[in-house]
Amino acid sequence: MKGDKEIRHRPHWFEQFLEGWSVFWQNPLGKIGVTLLGIFALMAFSSFIPPLVNPMYHPMTGVDPEIYSSVGPSARHWLGTDFMGRDIFSQLLAGARIAFMVGVSAAFMSIFLGTAFGMIAGYMGGFVDTLLMRLADVIMVLPTLLVVLILASLFGQLNIWTIVLIIALFRWPGVSRVIRSQALTLKQRPFIEAARVAGASHIRIIFRHIMPNVLPLAFLYMTFRVTAAIIIEAALAFLGFGDPGTVSWGMMLQWVWKTGHMFKALYWLLPPGICISLITLSFYMIGRAMDEVLDPRLRREETAR
Amino acid sequence: MGYGSSRSFSGCGFLRFALIILVVFLALPAMSNGAPLLKVGVLEEPKSLNIWLASDAWSSRVLSEIYQPLFTREPSKLALVPWLAEKDPVYDPANLSYTIYLREAKWSDGTPFTSSDVAFTARLVKEFRVPRFLSNWSFVKEIATPDPRTVIFYLEEPMATFLTRTLTTPIVQEKQWKPIVEYARKKEKSLAALLNQKVDYPVGTGPFRLKEWRQGAYIFLETNPNFFGTGKRIAGRDLGPFIGGIVFKNYGTSDAAILDLKKGSIDIFWWGLQAGYVDDLQKDKNIRIITNEKSGLYYMGFNLRKAPFNDKALRKSVATLIDKDFIVDRILQGFGVKMDTVVPPANRLWCCTEVEKYCEGLNKEQRIKKAFGILSEAGYKWDEPPVDGSGKVVKGKGIRLPDGTPMAAFTILTPPADYDPQRAMVGTMVQEWLREIGMPASAKPMAFGSLTEQVKGRRDFDAFVLGYGKLSLDPDYVRNFFVSANDKPQGWNMSGYNNKEFDRVAEQSVKEMDLEKRRELVMQMQRMVVDDLPYIPLYNPMLLEAVRTDRFTGWVSMVEGVGNTWSFCELKPR
């Protein structure tokens, strides 16, 4: 009895979160995804440690004073060294940090834009809707990677934050379409009617009443956008258009390729490649599991009960 | 049913695709006139077969086997030897004239090569002011052709570069170019009209002529039956060619070309290898790695036209902070040499060894302390100096110029890693070294075209890392790169170096015909440049090339590598 009371005292959102979490955790995809992501987060956090241990472990400038070329794994360099004697393991850790930074910030920005435009278009309708959606159509058909490549060759290599911004600017339309359709159905619901009759302004209706209802969907899309952003950054870096001042996984792949170690230094080629695959996989799995939480129709019989 | 049929259709499509690929490969020519063809792997196709426009490496590679100069350099001592000319030029100091006797030669279309072709080429360069060649010809006052095999050049003033630069210009055929010149002359922008003229079949005097260019796949040069050198002995070398022709196969990436080299589909990959490939290729007994010195200069340049790089002390401190040993040992993997002056050390006659070596023998801490000393003396201040009160080196922050303003962030432009991974990496490392003392530097790799446009065209930049891979052996470039008259859009003086004393010595050097005296002047010029540091010379990379030895023998090594006309004329099938 006492327990029941306590549960009732929990706030509503927390209650909802717990319920969602239990559905999420029962899904094997969600479990694997979160575990993988946890490992990468740990890598990103620990990337600050190696340079403190010894300056030769600095991912960009630290070189082993005795090693002048790429050598395989050893006790001193767990994954070996790159062509000029830098430690691959500390580069891999630094790469995790960059991947999170690029992925999460680009996805957050694109979700922010997509949600805002989607809600406004769906709620306002008419001319605003047409204008925003045609704009979304135009941007949606532009191939992001190609546009970034052209920009990079025109203006020289782009800074990592510029790359993040460009990815965000190109990736909002997909989200805005989904959010718009959600906003369209919400608009017809009685509670919005009621708010309007009560004299609420458009801004208040959009942000107080529509936004809380589309946010979960937006977060779902965010997980998919993270994977896209990480892959685009890696592709850019691999092709030689990344930010040369950052040690990202794509950059590591580019170094192994351009210095002619592609076919002989697997200890250097495989780790960044596998990391890129796994981190995008983990975000994808989390997205799939979240999909199930948000859309009960996808749940299997027993979880739906 | 529908599913099945669509499957068989896609299968059919795949077969067709495979067939097309097969046909393209089988169509690659293998023999010509009974002699096997040399297959050369290249990364790109020529941009143009118009010799006046073609300045990129890939066009020059093809055109150098077609168009020939009057004099060329022989491979062992790099001395100038008569090529289309029959013997050494005769100099008449009284008239300032050079008389050149031509060899009996024919163009690849069978028509005779005469003195009027030479005069035509010279006049074309002068009339249209062809940018690549003009500086070598502007001082030629008049050209006379008393008979079809004699040309006399009258110069305006004595010019040391006449032999080495002017007479090594490729000669074009009057018959082919006359109509083009007449057409271009009528146009408002005549130079553009000349340069944009498409040349499908260049007619030359070289050992090979164009047979077929299948865009995107290969270029086939067949042996020129009219080549003047066939069966002759020039510079002590018996010339062929003994091969049926050359097929340039286009790969796009080094990896694909190297895989094909290992398989035996090409005989040479005509491009410098990255050191990482060497170990693996050396395991193959049919592949030989050939190392040659380059006549190159890879350097960091500054924009002297604006702050903060108009300050000599700052440039000196940057030169002190750069670790050239790191660059050569690690980034170049030992395949290169440090440079202390702007003339490569391999050019022993002209390289000045007595110049200040800014970073020689210093470790990181000593370099930072020395640079800190240079800058503090010049009045630079820091919010947090890189050397603290106890003499310990820490990370410097908030550097201020002598006038008290904080140093603005600046960029070091480099070619992209895709074009030259070494220079891109040098830029990144220099960025890190400069940041340690608190300079807000950031390296910015940039597509090569935009980079040269920004540095040479708009001249809007802070600093850059560039290189010359093929400097001529004559040191006239020291004058060209730094003389103030060349500080103009598209000019050679990219730094905007302006030193009256240097200009005076430079002008004197080019007119000095006495070798010893000219040498002293060139040394003096180098000392001035290294003291003022418009460029910081960094390194001269070594050229690593891989050739197969199972089909042909007789590769000729030269300063620019084994891919040269001498090789192609002397290679013999096994």
Side-chain angles (χ1 to χ4, degrees):
Chain A
M1 273 297 123
K2 203 183 166 205
D4 261 357
K5 229 178 190 169
E6 244 182 40
I7 286 167
R8 255 181 228 119
H9 277 280
R10 283 176 185 163
H12 175 64
W13 62 267
F14 191 67
E15 195 70 10
Q16 262 189 334
F17 171 78
L18 279 187
E19 193 195 320
W21 177 254
S22 77
V23 175
F24 184 89
W25 195 246
Q26 273 168 33
N27 187 330
L29 283 181
K31 237 183 254 176
I32 300 172
V34 166
T35 316
L36 276 177
L37 201 66
I39 296 172
F40 283 115
L42 200 68
M43 280 174 70
F45 279 118
S46 54
S47 70
F48 297 97
I49 300 170
L52 298 178
V53 174
N54 187 329
M56 79 172 176
Y57 291 127
H58 188 284
M60 193 68 181
T61 53
V63 288
D64 191 305
E66 282 146 38
I67 296 172
Y68 284 79
S69 61
S70 179
V71 295
S74 61
R76 192 149 135 170
H77 301 286
W78 295 350
L79 288 174
T81 63
D82 76 353
F83 73 107
M84 49 194 235
R86 297 184 296 186
D87 185 60
I88 293 175
F89 184 67
S90 43
Q91 289 186 349
L92 201 70
L93 296 185
R97 194 173 71 221
I98 300 292
F100 268 105
M101 209 179 82
V102 169
V104 174
S105 49
F108 188 79
M109 276 193 249
S110 69
I111 291 304
F112 178 79
L113 287 174
T115 312
F117 284 146
M119 284 190 314
I120 294 168
Y123 178 75
M124 303 298 280
F127 177 69
V128 178
D129 183 23
T130 317
L131 190 79
L132 286 177
M133 284 304 109
R134 289 303 84 76
L135 179 69
D137 289 343
V138 170
I139 295 177
M140 193 141 49
V141 294
L142 289 176
T144 318
L145 187 60
L146 211 64
V147 173
V148 185
L149 279 178
I150 292 168
L151 287 178
S153 60
L154 277 180
F155 299 110
Q157 237 97 341
L158 306 168
N159 168 301
I160 193 92
W161 290 110
T162 321
I163 295 174
V164 164
L165 191 73
I166 295 173
I167 296 175
L169 285 179
F170 275 91
R171 286 299 166 126
W172 63 264
V175 190
S176 76
R177 282 227 162 262
V178 178
I179 300 293
R180 171 180 170 267
S181 63
Q182 191 75 7
L184 276 180
T185 66
L186 285 170
K187 199 171 118 182
Q188 309 301 333
R189 303 268 179 87
F191 73 98
I192 300 285
E193 269 316 287
R196 201 175 295 148
V197 172
S201 68
H202 289 318
I203 296 196
R204 189 181 164 84
I205 293 175
I206 290 179
F207 286 99
R208 288 293 304 199
H209 299 292
I210 295 188
M211 196 164 85
N213 286 293
V214 296
L215 265 190
L217 203 62
F219 278 113
L220 166 64
Y221 272 80
M222 185 164 155
T223 58
F224 296 125
R225 288 294 168 272
V226 172
T227 60
I230 290 174
I231 287 180
I232 289 176
E233 195 279 330
L236 269 181
F238 177 67
L239 292 174
F241 294 93
D243 182 342
T246 54
V247 181
S248 72
W249 291 331
M251 217 62 198
M252 292 175 71
L253 287 176
Q254 198 230 346
W255 288 327
V256 68
W257 178 36
K258 284 297 169 192
T259 56
H261 289 80
M262 190 87 136
F263 297 112
K264 56 178 220 193
L266 286 182
Y267 53 86
W268 181 5
L269 173 72
L270 290 182
I274 292 173
C275 281
I276 293 173
S277 314
L278 287 185
I279 198 169
T280 51
L281 185 71
S282 77
F283 275 108
Y284 176 75
M285 285 174 160
I286 291 172
R288 281 288 305 277
M290 260 172 70
D291 214 3
E292 213 164 272
V293 176
L294 297 174
D295 188 352
R297 281 171 301 179
L298 293 177
R299 291 183 200 166
R300 280 162 297 155
E301 281 296 309
E302 58 270 47
T303 45
R305 242 183 276 140
Chain B
M1 183 68 208
Y3 178 62
S5 70
S6 81
R7 246 171 83 107
S8 69
F9 178 77
S10 74
C12 188
F14 175 74
L15 262 183
R16 208 175 301 155
F17 176 72
L19 211 66
I20 290 169
I21 293 286
L22 207 65
V23 165
V24 167
F25 271 89
L26 289 180
L28 208 72
M31 299 277 274
S32 172
N33 306 328
L37 299 179
L38 178 77
K39 296 200 194 91
V40 177
V42 288
L43 288 182
E44 279 173 43
E45 295 200 306
K47 300 264 183 296
S48 163
L49 289 182
N50 180 333
I51 180 99
W52 307 118
L53 177 67
S55 59
D56 63 290
W58 310 109
S59 310
S60 320
R61 273 164 165 64
V62 172
L63 290 174
S64 66
E65 303 314 309
I66 297 174
Y67 291 111
Q68 301 302 316
L70 295 171
F71 288 81
T72 191
R73 291 195 185 267
E74 56 85 37
S76 56
K77 295 203 181 71
L78 300 171
L80 275 186
V81 292
W83 188 239
L84 271 170
E86 193 164 35
K87 50 190 176 199
D88 285 338
V90 180
Y91 179 52
D92 175 7
N95 292 326
L96 276 179
S97 74
Y98 282 92
T99 307
I100 288 150
Y101 301 98
L102 305 181
R103 222 180 261 281
E104 195 172 346
K106 278 186 177 153
W107 292 97
S108 56
D109 63 356
T111 56
F113 163 76
T114 66
S115 57
S116 69
D117 290 311
V118 180
F120 174 81
T121 306
R123 287 179 191 135
L124 184 152
V125 171
K126 281 179 68 100
E127 180 189 337
F128 288 90
R129 307 183 66 80
V130 178
R132 273 183 67 214
F133 297 98
L134 184 67
S135 66
N136 302 334
W137 286 93
S138 53
F139 50 82
V140 177
K141 194 167 57 181
E142 228 182 285
I143 303 134
T145 51
D147 68 66
R149 290 188 42 201
T150 313
V151 190
I152 307 171
F153 294 97
Y154 295 94
L155 309 192
E156 279 170 1
E157 50 194 345
M159 199 48 84
T161 55
F162 178 74
L163 293 179
T164 52
R165 312 278 295 147
T166 314
L167 293 183
T168 51
T169 307
I171 305 295
V172 300
Q173 190 195 28
E174 185 177 7
K175 185 180 146 202
Q176 184 175 34
W177 284 89
K178 204 168 180 180
I180 301 174
V181 162
E182 276 165 9
Y183 160 80
R185 222 176 249 155
K186 286 185 213 132
K187 295 278 174 184
E188 198 184 326
K189 291 185 173 165
S190 50
L191 175 64
L194 178 80
L195 296 184
N196 292 333
Q197 182 66 37
K198 197 163 178 275
V199 178
D200 290 326
Y201 284 92
V203 177
T205 48
F208 301 95
R209 64 180 181 192
L210 182 68
K211 168 91 173 166
E212 192 190 6
W213 179 359
R214 195 166 287 184
Q215 298 256 349
Y218 65 84
I219 292 183
F220 175 22
L221 301 184
E222 63 172 354
T223 304
N224 173 9
N226 297 312
F227 175 51
F228 61 88
T230 306
K232 284 209 177 71
R233 200 176 163 82
I234 298 179
R237 295 170 174 274
D238 296 310
L239 303 186
F242 308 103
I243 53 179
I246 307 175
V247 179
F248 290 88
K249 226 176 133 192
N250 174 15
Y251 282 93
T253 70
S254 296
D255 280 306
I258 286 166
L259 283 178
D260 252 15
L261 181 80
K262 285 206 260 185
K263 245 170 44 192
S265 313
I266 51 173
D267 300 301
I268 172 177
F269 173 43
W270 197 356
W271 190 240
L273 296 176
Q274 289 297 318
Y277 292 112
V278 172
D279 290 344
D280 191 36
L281 286 173
Q282 259 164 350
K283 284 181 203 138
D284 192 327
K285 64 179 191 330
N286 286 323
I287 291 179
R288 192 153 70 101
I289 303 284
I290 300 171
T291 322
N292 275 298
E293 279 190 55
K294 256 182 165 179
S295 178
L297 162 65
Y298 288 70
Y299 60 94
M300 178 171 178
F302 299 107
N303 193 349
L304 270 56
R305 302 174 192 91
K306 64 183 206 183
F309 295 111
N310 50 9
D311 182 7
K312 189 162 142 182
L314 184 79
R315 302 197 295 272
K316 288 199 172 197
S317 72
V318 173
T320 308
L321 287 169
I322 290 177
D323 185 351
K324 288 184 197 169
D325 286 312
F326 184 101
I327 293 175
V328 170
D329 293 341
R330 294 187 184 266
I331 299 178
L332 303 186
Q333 293 283 289
F335 291 104
V337 286
K338 281 187 286 185
M339 280 179 80
D340 297 311
T341 175
V342 288
V343 176
N347 199 345
R348 279 175 207 92
L349 182 61
W350 299 106
C351 174
C352 179
T353 48
E354 293 141 22
V355 288
E356 189 174 349
K357 299 177 173 75
Y358 292 93
C359 56
E360 186 79 4
L362 301 180
N363 66 26
K364 188 167 163 182
E365 201 165 298
Q366 291 165 326
R367 278 198 306 275
I368 293 178
K369 280 184 178 163
K370 187 176 164 193
F372 175 66
I374 296 172
L375 288 174
S376 319
E377 204 168 300
Y380 287 79
K381 298 266 185 307
W382 282 262
D383 296 343
E384 282 174 42
V387 180
D388 65 13
S390 60
K392 213 175 127 237
V393 170
V394 292
K395 202 167 164 63
K397 271 186 196 140
I399 186 168
R400 287 173 185 277
L401 303 185
D403 64 8
T405 51
M407 187 185 281
F410 61 88
T411 48
I412 305 165
L413 302 174
T414 72
D418 174 46
Y419 178 87
D420 181 353
Q422 294 169 345
R423 264 179 278 172
M425 188 49 88
V426 167
T428 310
M429 294 316 297
V430 171
Q431 160 199 307
E432 297 296 327
W433 291 327
L434 297 188
R435 279 184 187 176
E436 273 161 12
I437 202 167
M439 291 189 203
S442 51
K444 186 171 181 184
M446 198 178 218
F448 201 73
S450 341
L451 173 57
T452 47
E453 174 52 29
Q454 191 154 356
V455 172
K456 275 184 109 172
R458 291 204 303 278
R459 302 189 289 169
D460 170 26
F461 63 95
D462 301 313
F464 58 86
V465 178
L466 276 177
Y468 292 97
K470 278 181 105 167
L471 287 175
S472 79
L473 293 165
D474 184 278
D476 191 44
Y477 52 82
V478 181
R479 178 183 67 95
N480 261 326
F481 291 166
F482 303 111
V483 76
S484 61
N486 280 347
D487 176 15
K488 55 188 178 193
Q490 303 298 343
W492 287 110
N493 186 347
M494 296 186 275
S495 273
Y497 180 57
N498 194 331
N499 178 343
K500 294 279 170 303
E501 176 62 10
F502 179 88
D503 289 354
R504 194 185 57 75
V505 179
E507 287 315 318
Q508 208 182 331
S509 80
V510 74
K511 295 197 180 95
E512 182 55 67
M513 304 298 270
D514 182 89
L515 183 73
E516 254 329 294
K517 284 186 189 150
R518 185 168 176 226
R519 193 163 167 248
E520 191 35 57
L521 292 170
V522 172
M523 298 287 158
Q524 206 182 329
M525 284 154 67
Q526 289 178 58
R527 281 192 287 268
M528 279 189 231
V529 168
V530 176
D531 185 54
D532 285 337
L533 285 173
Y535 289 178
I536 300 175
L538 297 175
Y539 62 92
N540 181 20
M542 247 178 284
L543 185 64
L544 295 168
E545 287 173 302
V547 297
R548 280 193 82 83
T549 51
D550 51 349
R551 290 181 67 230
F552 298 94
T553 57
W555 290 102
V556 180
S557 273
M558 216 174 148
V559 73
E560 287 302 334
V562 288
N564 55 60
T565 307
W566 298 99
S567 274
F568 300 138
C569 286
E570 288 183 56
L571 275 180
K572 289 198 174 92
R574 266 193 200 273

